[in-house]
Amino acid sequence: MTAVVAKVQTPFGLTFTPINYTGAPPQPRAPITDPTPSERDAISAHNKAAMQQQRDVQHAQRQATKPKGGFFSQLAAGLDDLAHQVEKSVDAGTRAVTQSMNQMVDDHAFNRFRKHFPQIVSEELLLDNRCKLLTMNGVVPGYLQITSAHLCFVGENQACFSIPLNEILSVQTAISTQAQGGVPMVVPLFDDRVSANALQIFTCGGQMLDFFEFWSLHATAATKFNDCLNVLDHQWRRCVQVPRSDVQYVPYQQFQQPTWTPAQPVQMQPPPQAPGVGAPPQQQQQQGLDQPVVGQPVPQQTGCTPA
């Protein structure tokens, strides 16, 4: 498998270079069988609706069996009915607020996806997760997006790329830590008793993509990481037979991790008089820039045939 350095250029003329590996990729992990986040939400909504229906039946039974005569009996029945209606109103209000917040988050995610990846906007956006990408140039904060057919990344420096899911050879869990001097790095995870917090994704083009520090305002980092791994694993296996029959794998413990010197985080300052800065993609190409246009898939010389 040939390791190919593919640089992605930002509108400021900055680039980041993915980490490359040589040799066979590591054997894929066992498939994840847990429901996806959307499936869990559907199950939760169904269970809540069933519980509410059961409470409605119990309330109707209580109202039907209570004595009709007497002031205190009528007062008790009225208070019970009021409590039931208040409970239903609170539950409905909570659901409405939650749905409104989720819809707002989904709208922002889709707008980000539509802006940076118009060529695949017809695909379903399954996940949008804030995280960081480790590259040869340093750390790039941004958003990892998973669609029905692509893995996408949108960096805060506006550099972005998309990779077809059927060109992913292996997905591994890892741990993010810090090297000497406080520079972030991602190391393999060989013990399942240790909680993973990073992803290593190996592609046909000999690239190793390290994603780490998943987080969200509405969930813990562990939850967002597990959701991302869950969605990616499910959708990846829907797009391609895993493990690939045309790829020779090695056990993860025997995989030779790339040796390279981590750089400091990328400084997002536009360089002076960078060629093609601010020009449309067509004009940038006319000016002789040989870097990929932002938002387009990174060109790769694949060492295997896409499924």
Side-chain angles (χ1 to χ4, degrees), residues 219-276:
T220 64
T223 297
K224 299 308 295 183
F225 167 77
N226 290 327
D227 285 352
C228 183
L229 175 61
N230 183 304
V231 172
L232 176 59
D233 189 79
H234 276 86
Q235 196 59 31
W236 173 44
R237 295 174 188 274
R238 291 190 181 105
C239 293
V240 65
Q241 182 66 37
V242 179
R244 293 274 295 266
S245 60
D246 59 338
V247 176
Q248 181 179 0
Y249 294 96
V250 296
Y252 193 30
Q253 291 80 354
Q254 299 178 14
F255 174 73
Q256 298 296 320
Q257 290 283 332
T259 56
W260 56 285
T261 302
Q264 294 292 336
V266 177
Q267 299 298 319
M268 306 307 176
Q269 297 295 329
Q273 299 180 348

Side-chain angles (χ1 to χ4, degrees), residues 9-13 270 274-281 283-284 287 289:
Q9 183 171 1
T10 76
F12 299 132
V277 174
Q283 185 177 344
Q284 290 183 7
Q287 293 175 357
L289 294 182

Side-chain angles (χ1 to χ4, degrees), residues 16 109 112 116-117 127-135 138-146 152-161 210-216 224 228 266 268:
F16 69 80
R112 182 163 42 246
H116 293 94
F117 304 102
L127 180 137
D128 176 273
N129 208 133
R130 190 172 180 82
C131 64
K132 294 180 179 179
L133 172 66
L134 185 62
T135 76
V139 177
V140 181
Y143 295 86
L144 176 64
Q145 298 186 316
I146 301 173
C152 309
F153 181 75
V154 180
E156 288 186 355
N157 59 353
Q158 297 303 305
C160 54
F161 61 85
D210 289 346
F211 297 100
F212 65 106
E213 287 194 17
F214 297 82
W215 70 278
S216 169
K224 299 308 295 183
C228 183
V266 177
M268 306 307 176

